[in-house]
Amino acid sequence: MKKVFCSLTLVTAMFINAQTQIIAHRGFWNTQPKTSENSIQSLENAQKLKIYGTEFDIHMTKDGKLVINHDEHHGKMEIAETDFSDLRKLKLSNGEKLPTLKDYLKQGKKDASVKLIIEIKPTKSKERENEIVTKVLKTVKELGLDSQSDYISFSLNICKEIKKQNPFAKVQYLEGNLSPQQIKAEGLDGLDYHYSVFEKNPTWISEANSLGLITNSWTVNDIKVYEELKNQGINFITTNIPDQLKGK
């Protein structure tokens, strides 16, 4: 009886681990009423939803502050060319101030069950990218969030620099131009590609899984696309409709 119970437990654990997990894209902002993308409120919403994780984007201001915002501009101000104090004057659409990385991570720490998927945006120089990586990793470590944080970027330099500075960090590449074998050769942990890339390369998910790589896809807002990716064995999907895909 004990052996049967242990076998059932193992099978159950394997089944759970095989399930496609949901990541909220820029937090869960697509609510009624909607809130601001990448806002603290969108992070809180994702935490309340009890999904696997939530993704957010990092830029660095002219004076070296790390802030959470998807676009290169906040309003009409280019973040990389504007001091933090000036950026902070313009509030988000939901009335919040532009979040700093530290503020965002402090909220993230309140629920250890929700993974923090940190996207570091490419910049105009390798040196600046490396500086941002150093500052991000330092902030994450200071707040004790290494095990709760994974990293993604469209910049191969940023991805490799993260692994160089912290070999234990989980890093996935976003651009979509490298095969699973190339991702493995670069020493990265996975590929997080737009779903159209997987449609054009239908063997990549299974190839990546066989290589022990993490597989993720963005931004999946169509239930049919989600089901197709899930049937191929993708590990994660990133979506603007996490509430609708949760549990499917």
Side-chain angles (χ1 to χ4, degrees), residues 53-67:
T54 185
E55 178 264 359
F56 55 97
D57 309 282
I58 296 176
H59 291 273
M60 187 168 72
T61 67
K62 183 179 179 180
D63 52 348
K65 290 277 189 179
L66 299 176
V67 295

Side-chain angles (χ1 to χ4, degrees), residues 150-183:
D150 288 349
Y151 301 89
I152 57 177
S153 184
F154 282 95
S155 165
L156 186 58
N157 173 63
I158 286 175
C159 289
K160 294 177 75 170
E161 184 65 21
I162 294 169
K163 293 297 286 185
K164 179 181 176 182
Q165 294 192 30
N166 181 3
F168 299 104
K170 296 294 184 184
V171 183
Q172 301 164 62
Y173 182 55
L174 290 167
E175 184 63 36
N177 60 338
L178 297 181
S179 69
Q181 291 78 11
Q182 290 173 309
I183 291 288

Side-chain angles (χ1 to χ4, degrees), residues 107-121:
Q107 176 60 40
K109 192 172 183 177
K110 292 179 181 179
D111 188 345
S113 70
V114 178
K115 203 79 165 180
L116 302 172
I117 313 299
I118 301 173
E119 179 177 348
I120 302 178
K121 290 293 188 180

Side-chain angles (χ1 to χ4, degrees), residues 20-31 41-55 104 108 111-117 148 226 235-248:
T20 300
Q21 300 285 347
I22 305 297
I23 296 169
H25 184 231
R26 308 177 195 170
F28 180 30
W29 52 269
N30 195 18
T31 52
Q41 183 61 60
S42 71
L43 172 56
E44 290 180 13
N45 292 343
Q47 290 170 326
K48 291 174 184 175
L49 201 56
K50 296 298 179 185
I51 51 177
Y52 174 83
T54 185
E55 178 264 359
Y104 211 85
D111 188 345
S113 70
V114 178
K115 203 79 165 180
L116 302 172
I117 313 299
Q148 195 179 334
Y226 168 68
N235 302 139
F236 304 98
I237 64 98
T238 302
T239 178
N240 292 335
I241 53 169
D243 56 326
Q244 296 179 47
L245 298 185
K246 180 187 176 185
K248 282 195 173 290

Side-chain angles (χ1 to χ4, degrees), residues 1-12:
M1 186 68 179
K2 187 175 181 181
K3 288 183 178 179
V4 173
F5 178 77
C6 290
S7 296
L8 286 172
T9 302
L10 179 60
V11 170
T12 302

Side-chain angles (χ1 to χ4, degrees), residues 73-134:
H73 291 78
H74 177 48
K76 295 182 179 180
M77 297 175 284
E78 184 177 350
I79 293 174
E81 300 298 328
T82 309
D83 287 339
F84 176 69
S85 59
D86 292 325
L87 291 164
R88 193 79 159 174
K89 293 173 184 176
L90 177 61
K91 292 185 178 181
L92 305 182
S93 62
N94 68 341
E96 286 185 30
K97 293 180 179 179
L98 183 69
T100 65
L101 174 61
K102 185 169 285 187
D103 288 340
Y104 211 85
L105 292 179
K106 284 180 178 178
Q107 176 60 40
K109 192 172 183 177
K110 292 179 181 179
D111 188 345
S113 70
V114 178
K115 203 79 165 180
L116 302 172
I117 313 299
I118 301 173
E119 179 177 348
I120 302 178
K121 290 293 188 180
T123 64
K124 297 173 182 177
S125 71
K126 182 177 178 180
E127 292 73 24
R128 185 174 173 86
E129 288 186 346
N130 294 350
E131 179 185 354
I132 295 172
V133 168
T134 300

